[in-house]
Amino acid sequence: MSLLFFIASIKAQTEIARMDYSVITDLGGNTVSDLDASFRQQLWKGKNNLAIKATYQNREFTFFDGLDLNSLSNLNRIHTLGLSLNYERKIDSSFSARVKANPVLSTTWGQALSRDDFYGLFETTLSKTWRQNDKTQTLSIGVFRSVLFGEPEILPTASFAMTWGNGWFVTVGFPESLFGLAWNERNSMTLRGAFDGSYSNISSPWFQNGQTIETPSFFILNGKELGLEYKYRLQPNFTTTLSGGYQLVDKFEIVDENETTLYNFGSDSSLYFSIGIRYNFK
């Protein structure tokens, strides 16, 4: 379950649009910066809920001296677009089922689009909720197709979430765990640990040691992050966020279609920082 879902549950808000800028400051001497934007529209609401969400990410790599690649001009920017359809059915007062379908385009966009630029993701979960006084507990299990560890693959997901008292919340699970407090209508703080990954097609030839590499190639960047996020509600419909933490990188490399490593930037770790703004409906 996502951080946004639990904060929204506490504050009875629905996020409509958001924009974030984040920087991973030093991965082996290289910098990764992301500009993310999304828009979400609720189509149905009630026993059956249906929403559509569009996302865009512009990821830019700043490569510094020391790499043995002759040209990085074809590798330093990745565009990722996603469109997800989210359906939730309330089976009864305590059970619900959720399905998400998410086609993705992720590419360096050096040439015309090809089928290697596209892949499909999905998620399906079943949840059971218990409510008692000021405490709500939810157990969710399911499967999802993700790029957390490289090429898209199907993985299990499970989480146990609880909210209680005046805004406390915790989630323990895979791929994300949270602990935080929304102590009034304007302020909240969240400690977050999560797996994170990206998988993108290199759509044009690139160069290594004077040779042109024309085999199908893909950028992989994945690992784990641990961070703290602060949210401040400026006014009824606008919320700002500020977060920072530590990014542990497991893979930062270029692979072929069989996931054989063609170039390894090395595993490393780095501080990261992010700032964002959200538009909410209440």
Side-chain angles (χ1 to χ4, degrees):
M1 306 291 284
S2 71
L3 167 63
L4 297 173
F5 175 78
F6 289 107
I7 295 294
S9 297
I10 295 169
K11 295 301 182 183
Q13 292 179 320
T14 300
E15 182 179 290
I16 296 175
R18 64 181 284 181
M19 182 172 289
D20 299 276
Y21 178 75
S22 60
V23 178
I24 303 175
T25 58
D26 185 7
L27 287 181
N30 307 302
T31 299
V32 183
S33 59
D34 293 336
L35 179 64
D36 293 272
S38 67
F39 176 80
R40 182 182 183 276
Q41 177 63 49
Q42 188 84 29
L43 303 178
W44 302 337
K45 193 170 183 179
K47 185 174 182 178
N48 295 288
N49 293 289
L50 183 65
I52 190 169
K53 184 176 182 180
T55 62
Y56 171 71
Q57 181 186 80
N58 184 325
R59 167 163 287 181
E60 185 172 352
F61 298 93
T62 303
F63 299 107
F64 294 95
D65 294 338
L67 298 178
D68 59 350
L69 299 179
N70 297 89
S71 173
L72 293 166
S73 60
N74 295 334
L75 305 177
N76 63 359
R77 192 180 299 273
I78 293 173
H79 303 272
T80 302
L81 295 93
L83 184 67
S84 64
L85 194 64
N86 303 270
Y87 173 74
E88 181 183 15
R89 177 173 176 81
K90 297 178 182 178
I91 300 171
D92 58 27
S93 60
S94 62
F95 279 97
S96 63
R98 180 173 299 180
V99 177
K100 179 173 77 171
N102 182 201
V104 176
L105 162 69
S106 191
T107 176
T108 57
W109 226 323
Q111 294 183 351
L113 296 178
S114 71
R115 66 180 183 179
D116 289 330
D117 296 317
F118 297 88
Y119 53 83
L121 306 178
F122 71 85
E123 181 176 0
T124 178
T125 57
L126 179 65
S127 299
K128 164 70 174 175
T129 299
W130 298 267
R131 295 179 177 87
Q132 183 180 11
N133 299 325
D134 65 347
K135 182 186 295 183
T136 301
Q137 300 173 323
T138 301
L139 176 65
S140 299
I141 58 173
V143 295
F144 67 122
R145 190 170 192 253
S146 172
V147 294
L148 288 180
F149 303 115
E151 187 176 2
E153 61 179 333
I154 296 176
L155 299 167
T157 179
S159 68
F160 178 76
M162 182 168 63
T163 64
W164 73 97
N166 295 318
W168 290 98
F169 57 94
V170 63
T171 301
V172 179
F174 173 80
E176 180 181 60
S177 294
L178 313 165
F179 177 71
L181 171 65
W183 61 88
N184 57 38
E185 283 290 317
R186 285 196 150 190
N187 297 274
S188 68
M189 187 80 75
T190 304
L191 178 66
R192 176 178 182 267
F195 291 86
D196 186 38
S198 63
Y199 183 82
S200 308
N201 182 42
I202 299 173
S203 61
S204 58
W206 53 285
F207 306 93
Q208 182 179 14
N209 298 327
Q211 296 183 341
T212 302
I213 310 298
E214 298 193 34
T215 185
S217 305
F218 302 88
F219 233 129
I220 290 178
L221 175 57
N222 61 40
K224 297 169 284 291
E225 64 180 64
L226 178 65
L228 190 65
E229 181 183 67
Y230 170 69
K231 286 188 175 183
Y232 178 71
R233 190 175 172 193
L234 292 170
Q235 52 176 274
N237 299 112
F238 285 96
T239 301
T240 58
T241 64
L242 181 65
S243 61
Y246 209 61
Q247 179 82 43
L248 301 172
V249 173
D250 297 324
K251 284 186 179 181
F252 185 18
E253 58 189 27
I254 300 171
V255 301
D256 65 13
E257 56 191 340
N258 298 314
E259 288 209 66
T260 301
T261 301
L262 302 176
Y263 188 88
N264 190 349
F265 294 89
S267 299
D268 209 337
S269 57
S270 172
L271 295 174
Y272 75 88
F273 302 95
S274 178
I275 188 170
I277 189 166
R278 287 116 168 91
Y279 177 76
N280 309 293
F281 176 78
K282 183 175 180 179

